[in-house]
Amino acid sequence: RVALARAIRLQRESVKMSQRELGAKMKTSQPRVAKIERAAPDVSLDQLVRALAAAGGRIVVSSKGGKGSKGKRPTKSTGSVVLEVTATN
């Protein structure tokens, strides 16, 4: 959550967008954007993801490791899921 909140702020700043402008894109207030950027406890994961998307960032989810047959589901979890948050310009 904290890493995602940091990525939101970095992305917003990299595109020279104010908290007020990001709030307008998200249809929320500037104080709410401030809470999102500090990962306040009452901020949902959905709001964090929406804020990153509204600021032009992206999230890449990939599976690492594990053995499974192509086209078949593995019967047991043998790998891990990696969430990469990327700030884009």
Side-chain angles (χ1 to χ4, degrees):
R1 290 178 49 88
V2 174
L4 185 53
R6 285 184 188 145
I8 293 163
R9 182 175 178 189
L10 288 173
Q11 176 63 29
R12 178 183 58 77
E13 290 174 344
S14 77
V15 295
K16 299 182 180 359
M17 183 185 294
S18 69
Q19 286 182 340
R20 186 177 305 259
E21 291 168 325
L22 180 56
K25 284 185 96 167
M26 295 178 62
K27 296 184 169 77
T28 193
S29 65
Q30 177 276 322
R32 189 68 185 164
V33 172
K35 284 182 141 192
I36 289 168
E37 289 185 353
R38 68 174 183 267
D42 64 332
V43 172
S44 68
L45 182 59
D46 175 65
Q47 288 174 321
L48 291 167
V49 171
R50 287 188 319 112
L52 184 65
R58 65 188 192 127
I59 295 176
V60 177
V61 179
S62 62
S63 179
K64 298 282 184 182
K67 295 182 181 180
S69 299
K70 189 174 183 177
K72 294 183 181 176
R73 284 189 158 159
T75 56
K76 180 173 135 183
S77 178
T78 57
S80 60
V81 175
V82 177
L83 175 66
E84 176 186 319
V85 179
T86 306
T88 60
N89 291 334

